[in-house]
Amino acid sequence: MQFPGSLKALLDLLADGRFHSGRELAERLGTDRAGVWKRISALRSQGLDIHAVPGTGYRLPEPLVLLDRELIERALLAEVREELAIELHDRLDSTNAHLLRRAAEGAPSGTVCLAETQSCGRGRVGRAWVSPFSGNVYLSLLWRFGRAGFSGLSLAVGVAMVRALHAQGVAGVTLKWPNDILWNGKKLGGVLIEVSGQEGGQYAIVIGIGLNLNLPDREAESIGQEWVDLVRVPGGRGVCRNYLIAAMLNQLVPILMTYESSGLAPYLDEWRRCHAFDGARVSVQQGDRVQRGWVAGVTDQGLLLLDCEDGLRREFASGDVRLRPL
């Protein structure tokens, strides 16, 4: 969904986070003050918190960095840019859900979907993904595999995200099996991989990535675990959302281009070095069954190894597994 041009024009004016009087906005938008108020109300209905101060004007609580196709594409490596078709949306139910629909319609491999906000953002195991307007990265990428050669892919995606954040000056990022991106033990982002099935000899894989850049406390009240965003991380405050998106794609796409032939093997050692829970005592829930024990790493296929309290070592695929520290 794209906002009407009249709302986009108003949002562009307010994005600097400064006060703008109703008279100024009316003049610049070619409308009257009633028209400005109508558009302000429409933006508020989309979840934007716009302050109104009588005699002063309107402003956003802080500046917004809106998605910018030109900035993203300019920062992409040439060989990566050639592989991608980028879609920008103001609002979607879910970037993953949108790309699954597009995949069914025949969208090509390399289709990228980015949104300013999601009304029904999704995490693993049916969890909601908090998605305030413009504050974070909501990115999904469609990639088509000729066979079921994507085992362990979420781990390789995690490695790509660590590399991208490091390239933007953010150190100390770690990974939690199978799909969480952490900083100092707190959740900074996550990966959701969905498969739409086989058609014409190909599997359509949608890789969804959410990263917290600037997550207001009031928006995060529903998150059921410790979290962090880049503005609270050393080196993260100055990260530009558009350049970070380009860095993510620059790291991820080359991995996908060779993954069918290489598999997880080239990224396993790097993933293991970033593994935040190696040796940790945890509980692993799979459906109604819970196992407790100590994390013994991952297999070459990306399965979790758990030394259970009953003395047995068990393997777990990601699926609907939930892993929690004890």
Side-chain angles (χ1 to χ4, degrees), residues 11 14 33 49 65 87 94 126 128 131 136 148 157 180 182 190 205 220 225 290 305:
L11 186 57
L14 294 175
R33 293 192 183 189
D49 183 16
V65 178
E87 300 180 3
S94 154
S131 306
N136 305 316
V157 175
D180 283 356
L182 309 178
I205 310 300
Q225 63 188 107
V290 177
L305 290 171

Side-chain angles (χ1 to χ4, degrees), residues 162 165-166 169-176 180-190 211-212 225-236 274 276-277:
V162 172
L165 287 160
H166 188 264
V170 180
V173 179
T174 59
L175 298 169
K176 173 189 169 188
D180 283 356
I181 302 158
L182 309 178
W183 187 86
N184 198 26
K186 299 177 181 179
K187 188 163 181 174
L188 178 64
L211 275 176
N212 300 330
Q225 63 188 107
E226 286 192 295
W227 60 272
V228 72
D229 55 17
L230 283 182
V231 300
R232 302 167 211 244
V233 170
C274 297
F277 279 54

Side-chain angles (χ1 to χ4, degrees), residues 76-196:
L76 290 174
L77 299 171
E79 59 269 28
V80 170
R81 187 165 54 247
E82 291 173 0
E83 298 290 329
L84 301 180
I86 298 176
E87 300 180 3
L88 302 184
H89 297 269
D90 295 316
R91 183 181 181 89
L92 287 173
D93 54 350
S94 154
T95 57
N96 259 36
H98 174 78
L99 266 196
L100 288 169
R101 293 190 293 266
R102 295 276 288 116
E105 296 166 357
S109 186
T111 302
V112 178
C113 173
L114 292 155
E116 295 286 8
T117 186
Q118 303 176 110
S119 59
C120 300
R122 303 203 310 269
R124 282 186 67 248
V125 203
R127 299 185 187 96
W129 191 269
V130 177
S131 306
F133 192 94
S134 183
N136 305 316
V137 171
Y138 318 115
L139 180 155
S140 293
L141 168 62
L142 169 64
W143 204 264
R144 295 186 182 273
F145 286 83
R147 57 184 177 83
F150 43 85
S151 174
L153 182 59
S154 67
L155 277 65
V157 175
V159 168
M161 295 307 100
V162 172
R163 291 175 177 178
L165 287 160
H166 188 264
Q168 295 294 298
V170 180
V173 179
T174 59
L175 298 169
K176 173 189 169 188
W177 183 92
N179 70 333
D180 283 356
I181 302 158
L182 309 178
W183 187 86
N184 198 26
K186 299 177 181 179
K187 188 163 181 174
L188 178 64
V191 177
L192 174 64
I193 295 180
E194 298 182 279
V195 184
S196 69

Side-chain angles (χ1 to χ4, degrees), residues 14-319:
L14 294 175
D16 60 11
R18 300 173 184 169
F19 273 110
H20 297 269
S21 70
R23 178 179 178 181
E24 173 202 346
L25 293 174
E27 289 176 353
R28 297 181 68 175
L29 295 171
T31 186
D32 55 22
R33 293 192 183 189
V36 169
W37 176 249
K38 195 172 186 179
R39 296 178 197 184
I40 292 285
S41 299
L43 287 178
R44 284 174 169 165
S45 72
Q46 297 297 329
L48 280 90
D49 183 16
I50 301 175
H51 296 175
V53 177
T56 303
Y58 305 97
R59 68 179 288 256
L60 292 164
E62 54 188 75
L64 296 181
V65 178
L66 301 173
L67 294 171
D68 188 315
R69 181 188 305 277
E70 183 179 349
L71 285 181
I72 295 169
E73 293 185 343
R74 189 190 307 159
L76 290 174
L77 299 171
E79 59 269 28
V80 170
R81 187 165 54 247
E82 291 173 0
E83 298 290 329
L84 301 180
I86 298 176
E87 300 180 3
L88 302 184
H89 297 269
D90 295 316
R91 183 181 181 89
L92 287 173
D93 54 350
S94 154
T95 57
N96 259 36
H98 174 78
L99 266 196
L100 288 169
R101 293 190 293 266
R102 295 276 288 116
E105 296 166 357
S109 186
T111 302
V112 178
C113 173
L114 292 155
E116 295 286 8
T117 186
Q118 303 176 110
S119 59
C120 300
R122 303 203 310 269
R124 282 186 67 248
V125 203
R127 299 185 187 96
W129 191 269
V130 177
S131 306
F133 192 94
S134 183
N136 305 316
V137 171
Y138 318 115
L139 180 155
S140 293
L141 168 62
L142 169 64
W143 204 264
R144 295 186 182 273
F145 286 83
R147 57 184 177 83
F150 43 85
S151 174
L153 182 59
S154 67
L155 277 65
V157 175
V159 168
M161 295 307 100
V162 172
R163 291 175 177 178
L165 287 160
H166 188 264
Q168 295 294 298
V170 180
V173 179
T174 59
L175 298 169
K176 173 189 169 188
W177 183 92
N179 70 333
D180 283 356
I181 302 158
L182 309 178
W183 187 86
N184 198 26
K186 299 177 181 179
K187 188 163 181 174
L188 178 64
V191 177
L192 174 64
I193 295 180
E194 298 182 279
V195 184
S196 69
Q198 187 178 19
E199 183 177 348
Q202 287 192 323
Y203 290 85
I205 310 300
V206 174
I207 303 163
I209 304 167
L211 275 176
N212 300 330
L213 272 71
N214 188 356
L215 187 56
D217 291 339
R218 66 181 181 280
E219 298 279 359
E221 290 177 353
S222 62
I223 298 177
Q225 63 188 107
E226 286 192 295
W227 60 272
V228 72
D229 55 17
L230 283 182
V231 300
R232 302 167 211 244
V233 170
R237 179 170 287 277
V239 172
C240 170
R241 187 164 65 129
N242 290 294
Y243 290 142
L244 175 59
I245 289 167
M248 292 163 61
L249 294 170
N250 282 338
Q251 295 294 339
L252 180 57
V253 171
I255 290 176
L256 295 174
M257 291 171 68
T258 60
Y259 200 81
E260 275 193 87
S261 57
S262 73
L264 180 60
Y267 316 105
L268 257 177
D269 285 347
E270 193 171 349
W271 189 91
R272 286 167 173 154
R273 289 195 296 271
C274 297
H275 187 192
F277 279 54
D278 195 33
R281 186 166 182 265
V282 302
S283 69
V284 176
Q285 181 177 350
Q286 192 169 34
D288 295 330
R289 188 177 182 186
V290 177
Q291 295 280 352
R292 293 179 176 83
W294 293 263
V295 175
V298 296
T299 69
D300 290 347
Q301 293 74 41
L303 304 179
L304 179 74
L305 290 171
L306 187 71
D307 287 335
C308 299
E309 291 178 339
D310 61 8
L312 297 177
R313 173 170 286 188
R314 293 183 171 89
E315 298 179 357
F316 296 88
S318 54

